[in-house]
Amino acid sequence: MAAALLCGCAQSDFTYVRDDDGATYFKVPSGWRKVDQKSLDSRIFGDLESAAAQAQKQASWTVAFDAHTRPSADHLLIGATGAEDQPFVVAKVQKLSESEQNQVSLNVLRNSIGLPVAVPDTLRQQLEADAANPFKQFELLADQVLPAHDGIRGVRSVFNFRLLNGPVQTFDETAYLSADGSHISTLLIRCSATCYRKRAGEINVIAQSFKVKRLLNQ
């Protein structure tokens, strides 16, 4: 499914993005470039030849934008080295099965993009000790339960991970549960910790623009 870009004036400082249902929307600086959809889906869902990946893809809408001059889905979790690192933003709207709807909690929202954010201490210790786990040195920087509106619940979390022994990466994640409980909408912004501190104001504008307007199935 393709992103729908809302047309504005020619000199607009932002690109306005919404999902196919028009219920989830956000904006990014106009200079940020859209990431190749097939590459992005491969990163999020895995081997697209598999039935499981296809099922997940069919139940989801995704889009990503990269501030780097050479946009790449490879920048989803870790960016270019040194001064070349730039912010990356990905949005995902996932339709939940009946079983998943019955199990949704705020912690499910915190983990909705697939990163181990809200996990028990024992599991966190296991992840830190597991040499095969690329996500190390988790640090929760901020966590806010967003004010509910029109039955829509949300949470915003900011946290650090060190990936593959590289620079510490800061992730700014906002997730909403639709009023009827049928969809989770997630926005994840990533940049190195140094980059995030330098561009915190710009990143905050993007995060605050992310909204779910109404029930997705109406």
Side-chain angles (χ1 to χ4, degrees), residues 6-152:
L6 301 182
C7 296
C9 63
Q11 301 299 319
S12 174
D13 293 332
F14 293 96
T15 298
Y16 294 84
V17 189
R18 65 181 182 186
D19 73 327
D20 289 332
D21 292 314
T24 299
Y25 56 96
F26 63 101
K27 65 182 182 181
V28 296
S30 57
W32 293 27
R33 295 167 172 81
K34 189 174 182 293
V35 174
D36 176 74
Q37 192 65 45
K38 185 174 181 180
S39 297
L40 176 66
D41 288 342
S42 294
R43 282 285 176 179
I44 293 177
F45 304 116
D47 183 1
L48 295 178
E49 297 299 321
S50 75
Q54 282 294 325
Q56 292 181 46
K57 184 177 182 297
Q58 289 174 10
S60 305
W61 171 89
T62 59
V63 70
F65 289 82
D66 193 347
H68 199 280
T69 55
R70 296 182 296 278
S72 171
D74 293 341
H75 298 157
L76 172 62
L77 297 178
I78 189 165
T81 58
E84 291 189 1
D85 186 31
Q86 299 289 333
F88 184 101
V89 59
V90 58
K92 178 183 178 183
V93 179
Q94 177 187 358
K95 183 178 181 180
L96 303 177
S97 67
E98 184 175 347
S99 175
E100 289 170 333
Q101 291 181 42
N102 292 332
Q103 300 176 42
V104 173
S105 66
L106 291 178
N107 279 344
V108 168
L109 294 182
R110 293 180 175 100
N111 298 332
S112 60
I113 206 69
L115 299 178
V117 178
V119 299
D121 291 341
T122 53
L123 178 55
R124 179 74 65 201
Q125 293 169 5
Q126 293 173 11
L127 292 173
E128 290 291 337
D130 183 0
N133 172 43
F135 302 100
K136 304 288 188 181
Q137 301 178 23
F138 172 77
E139 297 176 301
L140 182 64
L141 305 179
D143 188 80
Q144 177 188 10
V145 177
L146 301 173
H149 64 96
D150 298 329
I152 297 168

